[in-house]
Amino acid sequence: TPTNAAVRSLEGLHLYHSARSNCSARVRLLLDEKHLDWTSHALDLLKKENISEDYFGINPKGLVPALVHDGASIIESNDILVYLEDAFPEHRFGVSKPEDQAQLDVWLQKSTDLHIPAIKTFQYFKMNAALLQKTQEEEDLYWKLQKDPDLRAFHGKHSGGKTFTSDDAAAAVALLNGVFSEINQALAGNEWMMGDTYTLADISWGPSVTTLLGGGFDFTPFPHLERWYDALCQRPQFDKAVIQWRKQANWEKLLKKPA
């Protein structure tokens, strides 16, 4: 139940999201794949629009996305995918066999677990550090509102003029290469991550690849993954929910200039 009383009266599906967020993109993608009507509440993260008592009253971690469905708030993007799959069973993107469900759960958990130490770290290392800095007022409010220890540790690395190092980036790349090797192997001889069926696994991981490509991540060692991503980009829902939002945000302009 959101502590922000204003959203508890909302009816239908309301998504609080950002154009630049791969976690937001995967939820937009599933909403569009399911042909669901939803209300957009887009937040500009560079303007720190998520750092407010009102938004922390919707998502107590201050992250995007957050889905409000008939006044109830669901946070964590992969949990939102599972919630939508259960709440709206038309146009299903799950699996039927218990052993397949176990593997699908593994892919979603890896997507969740690697977001901060790998995807987010790589992305922040590639971005112009000056654009990530908060004003003193924003810093004070963030540390007042943020209670999650992992997020406090992560954001502590780029507060007060600090930034992510090449060692941080190397550790992130090592983690990513490990999981992408697994995905590449799973895609050998298969159209999608779970075989011949397009599922939540593809919906979860596709937008992360988009984000990493924007930062210059090298996917050439993973040819099956590259073929899979090309197929994803041909889906009109992927273009609408991921590519077009990213173009609107012009994320690449935020990258560090090459030395």
Side-chain angles (χ1 to χ4, degrees), residues 70-248:
D70 291 338
S73 181
I74 304 96
I75 63 172
E76 304 293 353
S77 60
N78 287 304
D79 290 343
I80 296 173
L81 297 188
V82 174
Y83 174 84
L84 289 170
E85 183 69 6
D86 292 340
F88 300 95
E90 306 85 2
H91 307 290
R92 295 199 65 85
F93 298 94
V95 292
S96 56
K97 297 178 182 178
E99 60 269 27
D100 289 341
Q101 183 61 55
Q103 183 57 58
L104 177 57
D105 291 343
V106 167
W107 287 132
L108 294 179
Q109 191 61 52
K110 285 178 182 287
S111 176
T112 297
D113 291 346
L114 288 178
H115 179 64
I116 291 177
I119 298 168
K120 200 172 178 76
T121 295
F122 180 85
Q123 180 182 8
Y124 271 50
F125 173 75
K126 290 289 185 174
M127 288 177 68
N128 184 338
L131 296 174
L132 301 173
Q133 296 302 317
K134 305 177 184 68
T135 66
Q136 190 58 55
E137 182 180 5
E138 290 165 345
E139 286 274 0
D140 293 344
L141 181 58
Y142 183 80
W143 294 114
K144 172 186 173 185
L145 296 172
Q146 184 58 260
K147 308 301 181 186
D148 183 87
D150 291 336
L151 288 169
R152 289 178 69 90
F154 177 86
H155 286 284
K157 289 191 172 186
H158 69 89
S159 294
K162 298 192 293 292
T163 187
F164 288 89
T165 68
S166 56
D167 287 343
D168 294 325
V173 168
L175 289 171
L176 291 168
N177 280 335
V179 74
F180 288 137
S181 293
E182 294 179 47
I183 293 175
N184 192 65
Q185 183 176 357
L187 288 166
N190 292 318
E191 184 177 5
W192 303 107
M193 288 175 63
M194 294 297 301
D196 295 329
T197 303
Y198 175 69
T199 68
L200 296 182
D202 307 290
I203 291 169
S204 178
W205 276 100
S208 295
V209 172
T210 305
T211 291
L212 292 166
L213 280 169
F217 189 88
D218 182 14
F219 282 98
T220 56
F222 313 113
H224 303 303
L225 189 151
E226 289 186 309
R227 184 267 310 155
W228 161 84
Y229 183 72
D230 287 343
L232 267 177
C233 289
Q234 300 307 308
R235 297 182 70 86
Q237 294 87 349
F238 193 87
D239 181 68
K240 176 185 175 184
V242 184
I243 304 300
Q244 294 306 316
W245 275 93
R246 185 176 181 82
K247 287 181 178 178
Q248 173 187 316

Side-chain angles (χ1 to χ4, degrees), residues 20 43-51 131 138:
R20 296 186 180 94
L43 303 177
D44 190 329
L45 302 186
L46 284 185
K47 295 180 179 178
K48 314 302 188 293
E49 290 179 350
N50 59 314
I51 304 177
L131 296 174
E138 290 165 345

